[in-house]
């Protein structure tokens, strides 16, 4: 196994290359089995699950990703891995593949290091096909015999790791806990008459329901459908009814669910669907109550059909539109960029586009298909971590082809396991999704009998230039190129190989690819693995360069999609309607909710630390507006660092950009006083009465971008009064007594004496923090959040807290600054 130093080396070098990401820590559920069609392609197929996997034994080997990668790195010399493209690198890293390939790569120059390798042979061992896990899991793994050569051991070790992940799935799901929450929801609905609170409880009952017994989830879906119907969410209520039926809702309660479906269809003005369900009810033996309700719905349907009328619709001739594109793709130095086609005024729309691939960041529940944050989530019942949710069954159906490939990976928490070694596991998942989304589409355009070498040459040539294939735009994206393969590059290549093995042994993806090719052609699994691993490596290089987009959105302080003791459901009087006096509870922040790729628009923008566009995200869509007047033919620039010249110092920006292979020479970086805009938000007045000079501190070792109030190295109690910031004029360290007094009093802000101390600390801070200091924003936010948490249910008390006019004025002023600045 790999030594600890090898594993640490991979982690320390891979993380910086992965830009920045917020990873989520999840507790895995017990192993779940399902059929190959299980992941949301149709709930009817979900019920027919394969037998459960065998339980883990005490002697099962503890295989980790660090072990797999560290073991390979010990036996690899980067100087011997010289290559001209990704396919060559994968061939050099996986010599076992060269013994299994069916066709000679005569068109690929392998170099001197592979000239003496064994010829590529056609057949694969028939026994190795018996270790398939299944498209979505269900069968065990029988690992092939190992050899002494470490590189040849990689495949069976990967399969053992998959099996280990499957057996170590956690147990956060509980049928008993799901039943308890469902009963609590029933009490809330019947006794408290609070359908929104009941809906939250039923939602958590769905998330906790085990997949081995889908009845618990079916009952929770059925109960939630009733609560949603009362809230006026008829489409979501109808979807819940379908989910309940698909997951095995008891047949004796079938009239109840069918009656609700008919009522939802009637509310949605889908009269044909309503009549269909009423016909189904008429063929079922009903009691008097259900029969009466059925005839009532039938009468209402007939009345509404008679009263229906066509509404006037505005035609295209009545609209003032301009269909000409505001941008075009220009080529310079063998690379593409965006330029304006006409003069654009400030705030004018430049482009709107939809992501070709998107993955949620894990910060909140986001629809895996459309990317919106939804009020009513529909999770995949078979994914152990339950992170895959949809806003509707329609989105779930559209995403079924992708999720069918990913579902088993979520069952064993494969993508989350990459966080053990890499700083950004979501980057790997996004590259994976780019591949499984685009490659099948591209192969359908291959008419000749392909070989691996010819297919790879076409992907780098004619297929890349096609304008009618969406995947071609992805392949044309620039990627990060390194002069020699580093440990990070090798580790990423090994992970690409692991994902290719996953596609081969755990899914039916390669079989689907074979169907896209002409009948006479066939490629072996080893060839498909090499091709997919090489394409994954290319996509990772693109994401490490400029193509990765962090989609930011407004997120509430406590995610309303997760039930919590803070009772966020009390915000709402009705769907999309806040209770009076609750607007202030929406004091949230802008957070990264997903990562996406926009190959035709945002990824083609040139970099500049003073961006000329403002990107707004809504689900998968991005809208770019001009930040200033742009003449015709001017370049369209976007900042690819973590912050622009106002939010981040030049040295920090340069470091981040270098990791992405970008050398910036924009005007903001070339100015003699390039840091003035950044320093404007970090100026202090020295608290030494004999000095009182205004200054900006130098870089702080544990506080990126001078935001020391965000660093635990400075804000822990033992650092109270520590020497943090030094005045360059008099050499005195700033006492920052107001900050320590503020943080101490903030804990007990419900006490009036502590609130007085808070107000005094804020006034002292205003004397030392100059102009639009970012720390002012932090203080205002901390005060608001703490007061809202303490008096969330007592708004009148909260208003009393802000009776002090100067403090209230200060907080409002700071919030206005925050909104303007960000």
């Amino acid at each position: 196994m790999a030594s600890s130093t090898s594993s640490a080396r991979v982690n320390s070098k891979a993380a910086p290359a992965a830009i920045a990401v917020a990873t989520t820590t999840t507790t895995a559920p017990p192993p779940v089995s399902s059929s190959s069609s299980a992941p949301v392609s149709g709930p009817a197929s979900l019920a027919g699950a394969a037998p459960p996997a065998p339980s883990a034994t005490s002697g099962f080997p503890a295989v980790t990703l660090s072990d797999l990668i560290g073991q390979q790195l010990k036996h690899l010399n980067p100087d011997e891995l010289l290559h001209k493209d990704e396919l060559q690198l994968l061939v050099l890293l996986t010599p076992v593949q060269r013994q299994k390939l069916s066709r000679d790569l005569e068109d690929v120059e392998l170099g001197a290091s592979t000239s003496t390798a064994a010829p590529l042979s056609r057949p694969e061992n028939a026994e190795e096909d018996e270790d398939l896990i299944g498209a979505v899991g269900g069968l065990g793994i029988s690992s092939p015999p190992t050899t002494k050569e470490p590189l040849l051991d990689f495949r069976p070790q990967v399969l053992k790791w998959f099996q280990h992940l499957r057996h170590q799935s956690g147990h956060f799901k509980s049928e008993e806990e799901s039943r308890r929450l469902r009963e609590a929801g029933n009490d809330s609905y019947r006794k408290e008459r609070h359908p929104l609170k009941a809906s939250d409880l039923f939602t958590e009952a769905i998330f906790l329901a085990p997949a081995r017994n889908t009845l618990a989830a079916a009952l929770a879906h059925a109960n939630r459908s009733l609560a949603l119907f009362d809230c006026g969410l008829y489409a979501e209520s109808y979807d819940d009814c379908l989910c309940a039926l698909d997951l095995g809702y008891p047949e004796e309660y079938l009239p109840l669910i069918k009656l609700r479906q008919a009522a939802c269809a009637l509310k949605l003005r889908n009269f044909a669907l309503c009549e269909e369900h009423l016909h189904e009810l008429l063929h079922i033996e009903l009691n008097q109550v259900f029969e009466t309700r059925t005839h009532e719905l039938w009468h209402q349907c007939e009345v509404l059909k008679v009263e229906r009328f066509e509404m006037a619709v505005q035609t295209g001739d009545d609209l003032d539109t301009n269909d000409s594109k505001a941008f075009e793709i220009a080529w310079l130095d063998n690379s593409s960029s965006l330029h304006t086609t006409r003069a654009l005024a400030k705030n004018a729309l430049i482009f709107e586009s939809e992501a070709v691939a998107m993955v949620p960041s894990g910060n909140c529940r986001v629809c895996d298909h459309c990317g919106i944050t939804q009020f009513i989530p529909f999770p995949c019942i078979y994914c152990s971590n339950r992170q895959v949710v949809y806003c509707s069954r329609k989105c779930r159906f559209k995403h079924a082809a992708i999720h069918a490939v990913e579902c088993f990976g979520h069952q064993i928490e494969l993508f989350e396991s990459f966080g053990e070694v890499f700083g950004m596991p979501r980057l790997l998942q996004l590259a994976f999704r780019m591949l499984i989304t685009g490659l099948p589409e591209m192969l359908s355009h291959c008419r000749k009998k392909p070989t691996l070498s010819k297919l790879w040459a076409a992907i780098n040539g004619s297929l890349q230039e096609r304008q009618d294939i969406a995947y071609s735009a992805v392949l044309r994206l620039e990627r990060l190129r390194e002069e020699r393969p580093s440990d990070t590059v090798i580790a990423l290549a090994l992970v690409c190989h692991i994902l290719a093995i996953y596609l081969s042994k755990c899914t039916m993806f390669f079989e689907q690819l074979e169907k896209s090719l002409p009948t006479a052609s066939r490629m072996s699994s080893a060839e498909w693995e090499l091709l997919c691993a090489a394409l994954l490596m290319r996509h990772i290089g693109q994401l490490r360069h400029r193509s990765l987009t962090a989609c930011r959105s407004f997120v509430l302080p406590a995610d309303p999609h997760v039930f919590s003791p803070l009772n966020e459901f009390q915000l709402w009087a009705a769907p999309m309607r806040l209770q009076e006096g609750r607007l202030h509870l929406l004091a949230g922040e802008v957070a990264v909710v997903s990562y996406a790729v926009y190959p035709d628009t945002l990824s083609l923008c040139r970099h500049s630390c003073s961006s000329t566009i403002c990107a707004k995200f809504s689900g998968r869509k991005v809208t770019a507006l001009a930040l200033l007047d742009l003449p015709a033919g001017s370049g369209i620039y976007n900042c690819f660092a973590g912050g622009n010249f106002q939010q981040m110092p030049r040295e920090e920006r340069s470091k981040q950009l270098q990791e992405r292979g970008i050398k910036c020479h924009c005007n903001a970086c070339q100015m003699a006083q390039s840091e003035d805009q950044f320093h404007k938000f970090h100026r202090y007045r020295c608290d030494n009465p004999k000095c009182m000079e205004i200054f900006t501190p130098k870089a702080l070792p544990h506080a990126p971008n001078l935001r020391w109030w965000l660093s635990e190295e400075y804000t822990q109690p033992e650092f109270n009064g520590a020497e943090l910031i030094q005045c360059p004029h008099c050499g005195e360290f700033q006492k920052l007594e107001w900050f320590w007094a503020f943080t101490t009093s903030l804990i007990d802000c419900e006490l009036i004496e502590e609130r007085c101390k808070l107000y005094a600390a804020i006034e002292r801070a205003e004397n030392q923090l100059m102009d639009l200091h970012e720390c002012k924003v932090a203080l205002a936010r901390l005060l608001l959040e703490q007061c809202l948490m303490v008096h969330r249910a007592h708004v009148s008390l909260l208003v009393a807290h802000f009776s002090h006019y100067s403090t209230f004025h200060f907080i409002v002023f700071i919030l206005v600054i925050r909104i303007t600045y960000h």
Side-chain angles (χ1 to χ4, degrees):
M1 304 301 287
S3 64
S4 59
T5 55
S6 298
S7 302
R9 177 180 54 177
V10 178
N11 190 45
S12 62
K13 294 194 175 184
I19 312 171
V21 67
T23 58
T24 57
T25 304
T26 57
T27 307
V32 177
S33 302
S34 59
S35 64
S36 60
S37 59
V40 276
S41 57
S45 62
L46 297 181
S55 59
T57 60
S58 58
F60 196 83
V63 184
T64 66
L65 182 63
S66 296
D67 294 335
L68 290 175
I69 296 179
Q71 183 183 32
Q72 298 299 102
L73 287 177
K74 288 194 304 183
H75 298 275
L76 290 171
N77 184 0
D79 295 331
E80 298 176 357
L81 298 175
L82 300 178
H83 58 281
K84 72 173 185 179
D85 57 29
E86 297 85 358
L87 183 61
Q88 280 194 12
L89 176 60
L90 267 299
V91 171
L92 293 173
L93 288 176
T94 56
V96 66
Q97 299 285 5
R98 300 200 298 273
Q99 302 172 12
K100 298 179 179 181
L101 288 177
S102 59
R103 296 170 178 84
D104 188 10
L105 300 179
E106 68 278 355
D107 297 334
V108 180
E109 301 175 3
L110 299 180
S113 60
T114 60
S115 60
T116 59
L120 304 177
S121 56
R122 162 81 186 177
E124 294 189 35
N125 296 332
E127 299 134 355
E128 288 196 0
D129 288 335
E130 296 178 359
D131 63 1
L132 291 174
I133 301 176
V136 194
L139 303 179
I141 305 174
S142 57
S143 301
T146 60
T147 63
K148 295 182 179 180
E149 170 59 42
L151 290 177
L152 298 180
D153 276 347
F154 190 60
R155 174 186 291 270
Q157 290 296 324
V158 170
L159 296 177
K160 287 181 180 178
W161 182 55
F162 288 164
Q163 193 175 25
H164 175 67
L165 292 178
R166 186 173 180 82
H167 286 302
Q168 74 173 5
S169 295
H171 302 274
F172 86 94
K173 296 190 294 293
S174 167
E175 184 175 353
E176 179 63 25
E177 187 66 15
S178 177
R179 182 190 60 80
R180 187 189 66 79
L181 285 171
R182 193 171 68 249
E183 292 177 352
N186 292 337
D187 291 340
S188 178
Y189 179 79
R190 295 168 182 168
K191 298 177 182 179
E192 300 179 24
R193 303 295 182 182
H194 205 315
L196 284 173
K197 178 182 178 180
S199 175
D200 279 349
L201 289 163
F202 292 140
T203 295
E204 293 313 303
I206 295 171
F207 274 81
L208 289 174
R212 65 177 179 273
N213 181 11
T214 58
L215 179 60
L219 294 174
H221 273 292
N223 291 7
R224 191 176 70 172
S225 70
L226 178 60
L228 295 179
F229 185 88
D230 286 357
C231 294
L233 300 174
Y234 304 117
E236 291 81 359
S237 177
Y238 187 87
D239 280 354
D240 263 336
C241 292
L242 291 177
C243 290
L245 293 172
D246 293 335
L247 294 173
Y249 191 69
E251 190 173 349
E252 59 266 27
Y253 301 135
L254 186 61
L256 182 64
I257 209 76
K258 288 294 180 182
L259 197 63
R260 194 171 303 144
Q261 284 183 293
C264 290
L266 184 62
K267 291 291 186 179
L268 295 171
R269 297 299 189 267
N270 191 334
F271 303 118
L273 186 59
C274 178
E275 291 177 349
E276 178 184 338
H277 291 305
L278 292 176
H279 275 293
E280 293 174 346
L281 285 167
L282 292 177
H283 289 81
I284 300 176
E285 185 176 350
L286 304 174
N287 60 30
Q288 186 176 358
V289 175
F290 281 99
E291 187 174 353
T292 302
R293 180 58 180 155
T294 300
H295 288 292
E296 288 178 356
L297 285 176
W298 192 283
H299 176 71
Q300 293 175 16
C301 183
E302 293 297 326
V303 171
L304 290 175
K305 286 171 63 177
V306 173
E307 295 177 352
R308 182 177 53 184
F309 60 91
E310 296 294 333
M311 297 181 63
V313 179
Q314 191 177 29
T315 64
D317 296 336
D318 301 325
L319 302 176
D320 183 16
T321 60
N322 189 347
D323 295 332
S324 61
K325 292 179 64 175
F327 71 96
E328 64 179 358
I329 301 176
W331 292 85
L332 179 65
D333 298 332
N334 201 28
S335 62
S336 56
S337 62
L338 295 186
H339 289 259
T340 58
T341 57
R342 63 175 186 268
L344 296 174
K346 183 179 179 180
N347 298 326
L349 174 67
I350 300 180
F351 59 77
E352 284 183 323
S353 64
E354 188 168 315
V356 297
M358 181 273 300
V359 294
S361 68
N363 290 335
C364 60
R365 290 179 183 170
V366 176
C367 178
D368 222 46
H369 174 71
C370 66
I372 68 168
T373 55
Q374 73 288 346
F375 183 67
I376 304 298
F378 291 83
C380 172
I381 196 67
Y382 292 96
C383 293
S384 64
N385 49 28
R386 299 288 163 87
Q387 285 191 347
V388 179
V389 296
Y390 301 96
C391 62
S392 64
R393 284 172 58 91
K394 180 179 180 181
C395 277
R396 196 173 74 171
F397 175 78
K398 290 181 178 180
H399 198 253
I402 296 175
H403 189 63
V405 181
E406 295 183 343
C407 188
F408 183 73
H410 287 295
Q411 289 183 35
I412 63 176
E413 299 190 13
L414 173 65
F415 303 107
E416 289 78 5
S417 299
F418 292 139
E420 173 191 345
V421 174
F422 297 96
M424 189 169 183
R426 296 292 177 181
L427 179 147
L428 303 176
Q429 185 182 359
L430 182 57
F432 184 79
R433 191 164 289 187
M434 292 164 67
L435 171 74
I436 63 177
T437 303
L439 184 58
E441 176 201 7
M442 173 167 282
L443 289 180
S444 62
H445 294 269
C446 299
R447 298 182 178 179
K448 296 182 179 180
K449 181 179 179 180
T451 62
L452 176 59
S453 59
K454 293 179 180 179
L455 191 56
W456 182 251
I459 287 175
N460 289 280
S462 58
L463 288 176
Q464 192 175 126
E465 304 303 323
R466 294 281 294 269
Q467 300 296 322
D468 57 332
I469 305 176
Y471 190 51
S472 298
V474 175
L475 294 175
R476 289 194 295 268
L477 292 173
E478 297 180 39
R479 57 190 186 273
L480 181 65
R481 299 179 184 272
E482 300 187 23
E483 297 180 358
R484 59 184 298 274
S486 61
D487 282 353
T488 297
V489 173
I490 298 173
L492 290 171
L494 292 173
V495 168
C496 292
H497 186 202
I498 291 174
L499 288 172
I501 295 173
Y502 166 80
L503 288 173
S504 174
K505 300 300 181 182
C506 306
T507 73
M508 302 296 292
F509 184 68
F510 290 169
E511 286 77 359
Q512 296 171 2
L513 294 181
E514 289 284 349
K515 295 178 182 178
S516 303
L517 295 175
T519 307
S521 63
R522 179 176 175 80
M523 287 170 39
S524 66
S525 295
E527 288 177 305
W528 283 120
E529 284 183 21
L530 274 178
L531 178 64
C532 291
L535 287 173
L536 280 170
M537 191 66 192
R538 174 162 300 183
H539 296 330
I540 290 175
Q542 293 167 339
L543 296 176
R544 294 177 65 200
H545 185 42
R546 291 189 312 179
S547 300
L548 181 70
T549 301
C551 304
R552 299 182 179 273
S553 184
F554 187 80
V555 178
L556 300 184
D559 195 336
H561 316 302
V562 182
F563 179 76
S564 70
L566 298 180
N567 298 334
E568 268 68 29
F569 54 81
Q570 293 184 356
L571 288 172
W572 312 100
M576 306 301 178
R577 181 180 174 184
L578 280 171
Q579 291 190 23
E580 186 177 355
R582 296 294 199 271
L583 181 61
H584 58 275
L585 297 183
L586 294 179
E589 63 181 349
V590 176
V592 176
V593 297
S594 62
Y595 299 95
V597 178
Y598 300 91
D600 293 319
T601 52
L602 211 56
S603 297
L604 297 182
C605 293
R606 287 296 176 187
H607 167 78
S608 175
C609 295
S610 54
S611 176
T612 60
I613 65 171
C614 176
K616 302 293 184 182
F617 299 95
S618 177
R620 297 177 68 102
K621 295 182 180 180
V622 61
T623 302
L625 306 175
L627 287 177
L628 65 163
D629 295 335
L630 298 176
S634 60
I636 301 174
Y637 295 94
N638 183 40
C639 182
F640 290 95
N644 58 29
F645 70 105
Q646 292 179 313
Q647 300 168 320
M648 186 177 291
R650 179 173 59 182
E651 183 178 351
E652 186 68 23
R653 296 198 311 270
S654 177
K655 180 181 178 181
Q656 287 192 12
L657 294 172
Q658 286 177 3
E659 292 173 355
R660 304 186 73 165
I662 301 174
K663 295 182 179 180
C664 183
H665 303 287
C666 67
N667 294 333
C669 292
Q670 297 299 321
M671 291 188 302
Q673 304 296 330
S674 61
E675 307 293 10
D676 282 353
Q677 286 294 322
F678 172 73
H679 289 163
K680 179 172 65 175
F681 305 100
H682 297 274
R683 291 196 176 103
Y684 297 80
R685 186 188 300 277
C686 180
D687 59 10
N688 181 2
K690 298 180 180 180
C691 180
M692 302 292 287
E693 293 289 338
I694 297 176
F695 68 94
T696 300
K698 296 182 179 179
L700 303 176
H702 302 291
N705 303 327
L706 300 182
R707 299 183 179 120
W708 53 269
W709 55 89
L710 299 178
S711 173
E712 293 184 357
E713 296 290 336
Y714 296 136
T715 56
Q716 294 300 315
E718 58 266 24
F719 293 102
N720 189 356
E723 298 176 344
L724 304 181
I725 301 174
Q726 184 179 20
C727 174
H729 301 285
C730 65
E732 289 286 335
F733 284 96
Q734 306 303 294
K735 298 180 180 62
L736 303 177
E737 294 176 347
W738 51 267
F739 180 78
W740 312 117
F742 179 88
T743 54
T744 303
S745 300
L746 191 64
I747 301 174
D748 299 318
C749 66
E750 72 275 10
L751 303 176
I752 188 169
E753 58 270 18
E754 296 299 325
R755 291 199 301 275
C756 291
K757 294 179 182 179
L758 281 172
Y759 302 150
I762 290 175
E763 290 177 355
R764 293 201 304 272
E766 197 167 6
N767 292 329
Q768 187 171 19
L769 304 178
M770 303 305 298
D771 304 323
L772 309 179
H773 201 291
E774 280 201 36
C775 190
K776 291 182 180 180
V777 178
L779 294 178
R781 178 171 182 78
L782 286 172
L783 178 58
L784 279 174
E785 287 184 351
Q786 190 67 19
C787 290
L788 295 177
M789 288 181 64
V790 172
H791 297 287
R792 191 176 283 259
H794 304 283
V795 183
S796 59
L797 294 179
L798 178 64
V799 175
H801 288 180
F802 296 143
S803 58
H804 194 291
Y805 176 78
S806 62
T807 303
F808 178 75
H809 184 270
F810 170 73
I811 291 176
V812 173
F813 176 68
I814 293 304
L815 290 179
V816 171
I817 292 174
R818 177 179 181 270
I819 294 172
T820 305
Y821 173 65
H822 289 285

